[in-house]
Amino acid sequence: MIEEKGISPDRRHFLKVSTGIAAAGLTASLLPTQASAKSKHNKHQNKEKKLWNKVQKEFVLDKKTTYMNIGTTGSMPKDILKNYKENNQSVAENPWDMQNKFGEWPYVTEMTTSIAEGFGANADEIILNRNTTDGMCSIINGLHFESGDVILTTHHEHVAANSPLYIVAARYGVEVVYLDIPVDTGDNSITEQQFVDLFTEAANEYAGRVRLITFSHITYKTGTRLPAKRICQEVAIPNQIPTLIDGAHGIGMLDLDFHDIGCDFYTGAGHKWQCGPGATGILFVLNSAQRLDEYWSDRENPLWFINSSLGHADYLGTQLQFQYIGNDNYPAKQALTDACAMWDEIGRDVIEARVLSLSKLCKQQIKASFPKAAIYSPDIDELASAITSFNPFSDVNDLDTLTEFRDRLREETGFIIRTTDFKILQSDTEDTHALRISTHLFHDENNVNGLVEAMLNIYNDMV
């Protein structure tokens, strides 16, 4: 039973209804005869439509716009937002009454217990922190690196990784190796195996020196989903290398099972695809980081709790040492917990299937409407995500032009997307510029079709 502390009666009603629709409509098998199969398909479609219509009504997004920039930040569902406000009011009225409101100190035990199962984790492996950056910095800066150590990463990482990597390189003499990962340009064909081979070759080249492999589960500029499980289980574990995954875009988008992936650390945002409040995130630490003792047996203390009020208190255990950073924003943590409960009740597998299907539709519609466009997001299932990056202008790689396109799209049609930039190859002297679209559970096929039509109109007016 999912923890319902702090969830209003209306919220519970939604969860019960949506769960029934999901269970009845999305997992049923088709009957063998043509007539019954057609009937079953129609019922399936009707129930699915009811589910997503009900989900859409849970969000307070401005109806004059269509918000498709979840990769930057999401939107809290209305009932969760209401409870968040009420909890803030309660804390303001009774600041010393945390225990009655949020449970036993440190006030997040019931929250992590509620969240863990949805991510294939144990409760004591989940830390509720501030965001992806918080998790990346806590792990990278907390690991006991020494001069000559090697970290393997990619050339498409967020500053949340690049900043602490820069610090440990400058501070300890760590060598950070940025691997050129394959980028889909439409003119090539990329596969899971290319990513696995790339990390395998690098692990062999720097054998005995690689102390960490860190990478984005989903690259934030092209939306490429790396084969995280294969990298962990085929490269890292056999070579006894710990893994830290930047899951800023995984949490809330994908149906994640941290134990199945096999990573040592996974950190992600609560405010993006999970649609929780700002300054919330989830950090997974496998089995109190005990595998580090095996992998880093030459280091007496492989991991330091650099961002903790209890870094000295080993007797309290890893989760509590990571979790407690002094007084926290407990209403925000509860709101994130409530958002996770909503996702769990709908079904994280159901949500993943929905958002990826909308993203696939988006890519297919762009290909049909912009045959000369450069699309940088893979459209093969194993590498796809709910992010689509593309440039409609075949002969223009210009930020000003794409910024004008983005702004006109918002001002004239109400569709909100963003611009982005990246290097296809690390050695490129110029950035590649693109538009980035995020499709999520509060969107539908009409939103996707409307976006592509609106973009085509703006494009025709600009060329």
Side-chain angles (χ1 to χ4, degrees):
M1 182 66 182
I2 291 175
E3 174 65 47
E4 294 183 339
K5 183 174 183 176
I7 301 179
S8 68
D10 289 341
R11 167 112 270 327
R12 289 193 290 270
H13 175 69
F14 167 77
L15 296 176
K16 290 177 182 177
V17 172
S18 66
T19 304
I21 293 170
L26 300 182
T27 62
S29 60
L30 299 177
L31 296 179
T33 65
Q34 186 175 357
S36 60
K38 184 176 180 180
S39 174
K40 193 76 170 179
H41 178 69
N42 289 338
K43 289 180 180 179
H44 167 90
Q45 285 188 319
N46 289 336
K47 290 178 179 178
E48 188 175 10
K49 185 176 180 180
K50 288 179 182 178
L51 166 62
W52 299 120
N53 285 343
K54 191 166 186 66
V55 168
Q56 285 180 319
K57 292 175 182 178
E58 276 293 301
F59 291 86
V60 298
L61 290 157
D62 185 353
K63 290 182 171 50
K64 297 189 294 294
T65 65
T66 304
Y67 181 70
M68 307 184 86
N69 187 23
I70 300 91
T72 298
T73 188
S75 173
M76 291 174 63
K78 63 182 180 182
D79 286 329
I80 295 171
L81 181 61
K82 177 175 177 287
N83 292 330
Y84 181 37
K85 292 177 180 178
E86 290 174 353
N87 282 337
N88 273 308
Q89 179 74 23
S90 176
V91 170
E93 291 173 354
N94 299 287
W96 193 245
D97 202 23
M98 293 289 190
Q99 181 167 324
N100 290 333
K101 189 65 181 175
F102 301 109
E104 297 294 329
W105 182 87
Y107 313 125
V108 297
T109 303
E110 293 181 26
M111 300 179 199
T112 55
T113 299
S114 169
I115 286 172
E117 185 177 355
F119 293 104
N122 301 325
D124 62 359
E125 295 175 319
I126 296 294
I127 293 95
L128 302 185
N129 63 0
R130 291 179 294 175
N131 46 41
T132 311
T133 300
D134 189 14
M136 296 296 290
C137 289
S138 293
I139 300 304
I140 293 174
N141 288 315
L143 288 170
H144 189 154
F145 289 111
E146 294 180 357
S147 179
D149 290 344
V150 170
I151 298 174
L152 301 181
T153 189
T154 85
H155 78 302
H156 271 212
E157 297 309 310
H158 190 273
V159 68
N162 289 332
S163 180
L165 289 174
Y166 167 82
I167 289 173
V168 295
R171 187 177 185 186
Y172 301 115
V174 172
E175 183 179 355
V176 181
V177 178
Y178 295 90
L179 304 176
D180 268 316
I181 57 171
V183 178
D184 195 325
T185 63
D187 299 324
N188 59 349
S189 178
I190 68 173
T191 66
E192 275 193 343
Q193 192 61 45
Q194 287 176 283
F195 292 91
V196 176
D197 290 345
L198 189 67
F199 279 96
T200 299
E201 291 166 8
N204 291 335
E205 180 179 353
Y206 299 96
R209 294 176 56 203
V210 182
R211 291 288 178 164
L212 179 69
I213 292 176
T214 182
F215 58 90
S216 293
H217 197 170
I218 297 169
T219 62
Y220 78 109
K221 292 187 173 181
T222 69
T224 304
R225 176 165 40 143
L226 273 64
K229 179 177 178 178
R230 292 192 62 190
I231 293 170
C232 290
Q233 299 194 9
E234 296 180 30
V235 184
I237 293 174
N239 289 285
Q240 295 194 321
I241 304 169
T243 45
L244 165 61
I245 299 178
D246 178 335
H249 300 278
I251 289 176
M253 180 203 294
L254 303 178
D255 181 22
L256 299 169
D257 185 325
F258 296 145
H259 286 171
D260 182 62
I261 292 171
C263 57
D264 293 274
F265 308 99
Y266 193 107
T267 181
H271 71 280
K272 294 180 184 288
W273 301 87
Q274 189 54 70
C275 293
T280 61
I282 292 173
L283 171 64
F284 165 77
V285 178
L286 176 67
N287 192 24
S288 298
Q290 289 185 21
R291 197 154 65 180
L292 276 180
D293 294 330
E294 176 186 354
Y295 290 179
W296 288 31
S297 58
D298 60 328
R299 309 278 161 91
E300 183 176 350
N301 189 35
L303 183 62
W304 297 85
F305 300 98
I306 61 162
N307 183 28
S308 171
S309 301
L310 297 171
H312 62 289
D314 291 344
Y315 65 92
L316 290 174
T318 298
Q319 182 198 36
L320 190 52
Q321 288 179 280
F322 267 120
Q323 183 64 66
Y324 192 63
I325 55 170
N327 192 46
D328 209 335
N329 188 341
Y330 300 108
K333 297 293 195 291
Q334 182 62 60
L336 173 60
T337 303
D338 293 347
C340 287
M342 176 178 170
W343 261 235
D344 291 340
E345 292 287 359
I346 295 172
R348 290 185 180 274
D349 56 337
V350 174
I351 292 171
E352 176 182 321
R354 173 65 171 177
V355 301
L356 293 185
S357 69
L358 290 175
S359 185
K360 179 176 281 291
L361 174 64
C362 184
K363 293 175 177 67
Q364 291 172 346
Q365 294 288 60
I366 288 172
K367 288 177 183 177
S369 299
F370 300 91
K372 296 182 180 180
I375 304 176
Y376 302 105
S377 304
D379 193 22
I380 56 175
D381 291 345
E382 60 267 26
L383 298 178
S385 75
I387 293 174
T388 302
S389 291
F390 87 110
N391 182 353
F393 302 96
S394 58
D395 56 348
V396 175
N397 180 34
D398 180 84
L399 178 59
D400 291 339
T401 300
L402 290 181
T403 300
E404 178 187 351
F405 186 99
R406 177 202 68 194
D407 292 346
R408 285 190 60 182
L409 187 68
R410 176 173 183 167
E411 292 162 5
E412 298 174 21
T413 72
F415 285 96
I416 300 173
I417 61 175
R418 67 161 281 184
T419 53
T420 188
D421 58 81
F422 50 89
K423 284 182 167 57
I424 293 176
L425 294 174
Q426 211 170 153
S427 58
D428 288 350
T429 56
E430 294 184 0
D431 286 340
T432 294
H433 297 281
L435 302 166
R436 192 186 77 179
I437 301 161
S438 302
T439 46
H440 206 17
L441 76 170
F442 45 70
H443 296 132
D444 57 28
E445 291 80 3
N446 291 333
N447 295 142
V448 173
N449 293 331
L451 168 68
V452 175
E453 182 180 355
M455 291 193 300
L456 186 58
N457 290 336
I458 299 292
Y459 171 82
N460 288 332
D461 193 57
M462 290 180 65
V463 297

